[in-house]
Amino acid sequence: MPAYANLLADVASTIVVDAGNAAFLAILPQLINAAEGRCYRELNLLDASVRDSSASTSSGVRNFNLPTVAGTFLIVEDINIITPASTAPESGTRNRLTPASLSVLDVIYPSSTGSGVPQFWAYASQNTYLTGAAAQSQIVFGPWPGSTYRVEVIGKIQPAALSAANPNTWLTDNIYDVLFKATMAEATAWQQN
């Protein structure tokens, strides 16, 4: 099966650069990250859809960091709060949250007064053009959580990127040619400076 070393060699030979070139090796992780992101976003792969229930709310705190155990969430499709408090998803009841804007949550739930089981969620920042992907790594709840609830986040993720330390991914094992071509699209843009 092709791996990181194969991709490095294939891209280097195709754009005619020495595989040990320092500038190429420095930019390669960014090229791979952009290519993998494009594959996971545009191919709508079933393997990129996950349910991650590894994180919990904090009582009286409306901000919540999206879990990263399975990968980085690119698209959040649904969020469930599991009740009763501190219950695993398989043992509790899933309470599906409704997406809302941050402005709505600020008006309706301006403080922890009336905290309870959250019913709504919003991205902490929806200005992803200025602040990048990190803007979507934190969400807010309304009402503010009144206890420690398990949170189940459902959506599309980008798993850990291909690298020398992580030499195989689903993309290298299943659709290497697509990953290679996506990386080449990024590499030719870099090569043209």
Side-chain angles (χ1 to χ4, degrees):
M1 268 184 230
Y4 174 80
N6 301 96
L7 186 64
L8 184 152
D10 291 347
V11 172
S13 68
T14 306
I15 64 172
V16 191
V17 66
D18 186 290
N21 179 295
F24 173 68
L25 292 175
I27 196 70
L28 186 62
Q30 294 173 38
L31 303 178
I32 291 171
N33 191 43
E36 287 183 328
R38 181 174 222 174
C39 290
Y40 287 119
R41 280 188 312 273
E42 295 183 14
L43 294 177
N44 198 21
L45 299 169
L46 197 53
D47 281 357
S49 294
V50 299
R51 286 178 177 262
D52 189 330
S53 57
S54 62
S56 298
T57 64
S58 295
S59 181
V61 178
R62 78 175 190 159
N63 291 357
F64 174 78
N65 291 324
L66 292 174
T68 57
V69 172
T72 303
F73 276 93
L74 299 173
I75 301 167
V76 174
E77 296 168 352
D78 283 311
I79 297 179
N80 296 318
I81 295 289
I82 311 302
T83 56
S86 301
T87 305
E90 302 77 33
S91 304
T93 301
R94 287 178 169 86
N95 299 281
R96 186 174 179 191
L97 303 187
T98 303
S101 73
L102 185 58
S103 299
V104 166
L105 295 184
D106 286 345
V107 170
I108 298 174
Y109 306 105
S111 71
S112 61
T113 303
S115 61
V117 178
Q119 298 172 13
F120 300 94
W121 71 275
Y123 285 114
S125 172
Q126 294 176 330
N127 194 349
T128 57
Y129 293 104
L130 294 178
T131 55
Q136 293 188 7
S137 64
Q138 191 174 75
I139 61 171
V140 296
F141 293 119
W144 296 32
S147 191
T148 302
Y149 298 104
R150 184 70 63 95
V151 180
E152 182 180 59
V153 182
I154 304 161
K156 301 279 188 215
I157 61 158
Q158 181 169 345
L162 180 70
S163 66
N166 184 29
N168 289 82
T169 65
W170 187 90
L171 295 173
T172 59
D173 294 348
N174 294 283
I175 54 172
Y176 177 79
D177 56 334
V178 175
L179 175 62
F180 169 69
K181 289 176 179 147
T183 307
M184 280 303 302
E186 299 298 326
T188 54
W190 166 74
Q191 194 176 31
Q192 294 299 317
N193 198 13

